Amino acid sequence: MSTDRPTGEAEPKPSRAERGAPTAGTPDSAGAGPEEGPAAVAGDSAGSAGGEPADGGEPQGSAAGAPARDGAGQPGGERAEPGASDDASGAEPVTGPRGDDVPAGKARSAVAEALAAAVRAVESGERDAASFFNEPKPKPAARRPVPAAAAAGPAVAGPGAVARPVRAAAPVAPSAGLTEVLAAGGAPEALAGQVAETLGEHAAEELREDPWRLLAVPAVQPEQADGFARALLGDACGPGDERRARALVARFLERAALAGHTVLESSAVLAELSRRSVPDAEDALRDVLAEGTVLVFREGPEDEQEGEEEGEEDAGEPVRLLLGLDRYAMAEESLADGLARLVNAAPGPGPEPAPDWAAAAEAAPSPSAAELIRAVAAAGLVTHSGGEAARAEPAALVTAAAGMGLRAWAAAHTEDGRRRLTELGVADAVTVAGLLSGQEGPGRDADGALALDVLAVLDAPQLDVETAALLVESLADGTRLVLSGDPGVLWSAGPGRVFADVLAARACPAVVSRTPDPGPIGELVSGIGVGELNQVAAPGKEVVIVPVREPAEAVHRTVQLVADSVPRAFGVEPGAAQVITPGHGGPAGTRALNAALKERLNPGPGRFGGFDPGDRVAYVPAPGRMVPGTVVSADAEGLRLDCGGTPVVVPRERVGDEVRHGWAVTAHQAAGTRWPAAVVVLPGDAAPTLTRSWVYTAFSRGERHLSVVQGVEQALPRAVAEVPAKERTTRLRPLLEAQTRPADS
């Protein structure tokens, strides 16, 4: 690979924006603001709003950005950028069952004993299980009917349609009582809209009854909620108030979900309560659990294997106690039930005569495609792993199934993924969002199930647990489902690690493609996938390394590459190369890079809420889904975009939440999309956040060219070799294992 610029021209003098100077409408961050690792639960002292978490990496589309402070300890109202959560704050990640999660290991054993005693009480009949404990269901449940609104018959949109999520008809307006109670607690009036939207029309009454309910608003920090409660309660306010513990636990689990976890170990929650100065964390947690604020699950040996005596319990394998919010815990159980239902149900016979799967496999374009077709012929659920070139295999499967008269469809995560499927010959390619909304695809049958026999879902690592649960619940018994994707890329922006857990559970046939990605970029990315950052031959300068010493130089060289070098060397339009960087904040984050790129490529006053016609934007219609677009104009209805040929109007009140400049994006936003050329920017302050999966995802976004603006030196090969994807705490794998037999047994 080359370390030269593609054209070797002299460096122009950097502009003011390239040097990192703040521009109008662009916040200037002091911190690096890199993407946070998926296993980390960001600390509440996060930096400026709009940073990235981790795979999620960056839980996108949340409003969890840390607010500005309008006075000491008072909640502020800085709005997070769309598709973003908190900037990384240096908080220690919440990990698995390590003894150092709580002081001296004492809290872990004490709470384990208390909760295990509660488990025995449930099993002996002394206490109702529904009041405290939720066990995984022993066998898969039947598919639940889809609501009538979702089953309203076929609704096929054009191939470029951008499916928008369903939203409330009108936001809840803040009442005079809410404004009054916020003022009494010292909170700024600007927070009233967010509080009303979060807590609903009875927000004022709820806050008077429980001031810590303010913590349900993502922009509010625990210290701010404490100050609000002190102002309202006076001497009655104390750190041991049970309402405070309840709010802290709920917030901690919500933030864990932003970082990808569906549940957390009890030890991690105890540690957080202790960090927040709750006087008796164990008692407080028991009270929270007793009230049903969160669900508790147990993982570990069966009781008959552990023994019933307390003395035996400590001697055996410890019980793993997991806490989770109902929303995510139940979605994970529903997903496990649905997947087990597909595994255990015989695939539907389809039309008469029976499809000739053997002949289809014989006619397959590659051995891996033939293997996939044979696996799908015999199973209701199949996983398929491979890189970009391997996408041709599920495409061949869908084409073959459609040729046999089956209702076969393929769904991708993004519009670009759908386009690439169409180029592979799949005429009926859709996006997952469009399929579920009814705007794309075959519609639903009389029972509310999707009217199809075979569904191949590409970009499966991008499925979060809620989307996956909804998708699987929408499939009728006998439907064949293929989950296909590249295991090396970043996990979903939302909670869960669906594809990885299904692979690990070995509950169904798993086909691993033997089709490698071609060219120098394919060779480089393949090595990264196994932990090796190799030098690759790039005679056509397909891969170029650009060393830099400081963030200002990184911004300057990036602008040069995007505006001049890459277009001249590869014949792409200026600005068509996509810039990818670890985070939003900092001197070389997306904000600084977008400001510099706009000044060079499309200067203007930003007369449409900071945007001008011709600006490249990242449109985030739903959390975890980024659609590249271009600003066309604006009027009373909102900001008008062109998203891959599809006109989109973003209402004025949504522009700040859903649209940002898009010459530079994060790797999580880029997942599922490819461009002719990619410029990956690695400033020095990004070194601590790099992981193998981040590098793999970012480096694989360019089809013809990859430039790496390298300022992290040896941290890059070290991340590739030693820092795999950060863990997420989930329950899907054991739930699926409990309901299925290993596919190779």
Side-chain angles (χ1 to χ4, degrees):
M1 66 184 76
S2 172
T3 56
D4 300 324
R5 295 188 299 281
T7 56
E9 69 275 7
E11 297 182 23
K13 217 175 165 182
S15 66
R16 178 175 180 269
E18 289 174 342
R19 293 194 300 270
T23 59
T26 304
D28 185 39
S29 291
E35 278 184 314
E36 181 186 8
V41 176
D44 292 312
S45 58
S48 62
E52 298 293 336
D55 132 273
E58 89 195 67
Q60 298 177 355
S62 76
R69 303 282 178 102
D70 293 340
Q74 299 305 323
E78 182 179 353
R79 174 177 289 171
E81 291 192 14
S85 71
D86 298 326
D87 280 312
S89 63
E92 288 297 317
V94 174
T95 60
R98 295 189 177 94
D100 57 358
D101 283 337
V102 290
K106 181 179 178 182
R108 161 188 277 281
S109 61
V111 78
E113 290 174 4
L115 296 182
V119 171
R120 289 194 294 273
V122 169
E123 295 172 344
S124 65
E126 296 176 12
R127 187 168 179 182
D128 179 13
S131 70
F132 182 74
F133 197 95
N134 289 277
E135 289 278 5
K137 298 178 181 65
K139 57 184 178 181
R143 180 178 58 82
R144 293 199 290 270
V146 176
V156 183
V162 179
R164 293 182 60 86
V166 177
R167 293 194 176 95
V172 178
S175 65
L178 176 57
T179 303
E180 179 183 333
V181 73
L182 289 176
E189 184 178 346
L191 198 63
Q194 298 179 53
V195 175
E197 185 176 350
T198 302
L199 300 182
E201 58 181 340
H202 300 295
E205 293 84 350
E206 288 192 37
L207 289 177
R208 287 192 180 95
E209 179 68 24
D210 180 359
W212 282 281
R213 286 286 289 141
L214 189 67
L215 204 51
V217 178
V220 177
Q221 301 298 320
E223 297 84 359
Q224 297 167 335
D226 286 341
F228 180 76
R230 281 194 298 271
L232 290 183
L233 301 178
D235 293 339
C237 177
D241 194 301
E242 61 183 14
R243 295 170 294 183
R244 180 174 185 262
R246 184 167 60 240
L248 287 171
V249 170
R251 176 186 173 84
F252 190 55
L253 292 175
E254 285 285 3
R255 293 176 69 83
L258 289 175
H261 307 278
T262 58
V263 289
L264 282 182
E265 294 219 19
S266 58
S267 59
V269 180
L270 278 170
E272 172 68 4
L273 291 177
S274 297
R275 187 170 78 90
R276 294 292 175 189
S277 303
V278 175
D280 193 330
E282 293 180 33
D283 284 345
L285 181 56
R286 277 194 290 269
D287 291 341
V288 170
L289 297 178
E291 291 175 2
T293 302
V294 299
L295 301 181
V296 57
F297 305 92
R298 187 188 66 178
E299 286 185 2
E302 296 296 330
D303 286 271
E304 57 266 27
Q305 295 175 338
E306 302 183 73
E308 294 293 332
E309 298 297 327
E310 291 188 9
E312 295 182 36
E313 193 172 339
D314 289 338
E317 182 180 344
V319 174
R320 191 172 183 232
L321 295 163
L322 303 174
L323 309 181
L325 297 172
D326 177 270
R327 171 181 174 182
Y328 306 113
M330 293 298 97
E332 206 156 29
E333 289 205 354
S334 175
L335 175 58
D337 291 344
L339 291 173
R341 173 173 56 84
L342 296 178
V343 169
N344 296 327
E352 294 295 339
D356 191 350
W357 291 99
E362 285 293 328
S366 69
S368 293
E371 183 182 358
L372 178 60
I373 291 172
R374 284 191 291 267
V376 171
L381 177 66
V382 175
T383 61
H384 171 263
S385 303
E388 180 62 25
R391 295 171 74 91
E393 294 153 19
L397 162 71
V398 170
T399 301
M404 292 185 285
L406 295 173
R407 299 170 298 176
W409 293 74
H413 178 62
T414 62
E415 285 296 320
D416 181 69
R418 185 205 58 75
R419 174 190 61 79
R420 284 177 281 145
L421 278 171
T422 302
E423 292 174 353
L424 291 170
V426 181
D428 293 329
V430 297
T431 63
V432 171
L435 179 67
L436 291 175
S437 69
Q439 295 183 17
E440 303 170 9
R444 297 179 184 265
D445 60 24
D447 296 325
L450 290 169
L452 45 76
D453 303 304
V454 177
L455 175 63
V457 178
L458 284 81
D459 310 310
Q462 303 308 308
L463 283 175
D464 63 85
V465 68
E466 290 185 297
T467 302
L470 180 59
L471 180 67
V472 172
E473 285 180 1
S474 300
L475 301 179
D477 292 347
T479 303
R480 293 173 166 91
L481 173 64
V482 178
L483 297 177
S484 174
D486 190 338
V489 301
L490 288 165
W491 290 331
S492 61
R497 49 171 201 172
V498 173
F499 190 56
D501 281 344
V502 174
L503 288 174
R506 296 165 46 223
C508 63
V511 176
V512 179
S513 175
R514 298 185 295 277
T515 305
D517 286 342
I521 297 177
E523 181 183 350
L524 175 66
V525 172
S526 295
I528 293 171
V530 295
E532 299 175 357
L533 187 64
N534 300 317
Q535 293 280 343
V536 297
K541 294 195 174 181
E542 296 87 349
V543 179
V544 174
I545 308 299
V546 182
V548 294
R549 293 176 297 278
E550 57 184 9
E553 184 184 4
V555 173
H556 164 58
R557 298 298 294 272
T558 299
V559 173
Q560 180 188 41
L561 286 165
V562 172
D564 298 320
S565 304
V566 173
R568 187 173 296 124
F570 294 94
V572 299
E573 294 183 2
Q578 183 62 53
V579 177
I580 302 169
T581 193
H584 290 307
T590 62
R591 299 185 192 115
L593 286 165
N594 277 318
L597 288 163
K598 176 173 172 55
E599 181 179 313
R600 177 68 180 274
L601 298 170
N602 195 46
R607 60 183 181 274
F608 300 149
F611 300 99
D612 293 297
D615 279 358
R616 279 184 62 182
V617 294
Y619 167 48
V620 184
R625 211 159 56 84
M626 188 277 286
V627 181
T630 304
V631 174
V632 177
S633 63
D635 52 33
E637 293 186 18
L639 191 66
R640 296 188 177 273
L641 310 177
D642 178 354
C643 295
T646 299
V648 173
V649 180
V650 183
R652 295 178 63 180
E653 66 273 11
R654 293 286 179 182
V655 170
D657 294 326
E658 296 182 354
V659 185
R660 55 182 295 277
H661 286 110
W663 286 284
V665 299
T666 63
H668 253 96
Q669 292 176 319
T673 303
R674 301 189 82 201
W675 291 267
V679 178
V680 178
V681 182
L682 301 174
D685 54 11
T689 69
L690 294 180
T691 65
R692 182 185 305 160
S693 57
W694 193 97
V695 176
Y696 186 99
T697 303
F699 282 26
S700 59
R701 297 307 93 194
E703 294 175 337
R704 295 165 50 198
H705 173 75
L706 168 68
S707 283
V708 182
V709 180
Q710 222 284 46
V712 293
E713 300 179 346
Q714 292 306 306
L716 177 59
R718 185 162 53 249
V720 170
E722 303 173 8
V723 189
K726 296 176 181 177
E727 284 301 319
R728 294 181 173 189
T729 308
T730 64
R731 298 176 58 236
L732 181 59
R733 176 180 177 178
L735 286 172
L736 201 50
E737 288 173 339
Q739 301 184 62
T740 59
R741 298 177 59 189
D744 54 359
S745 62

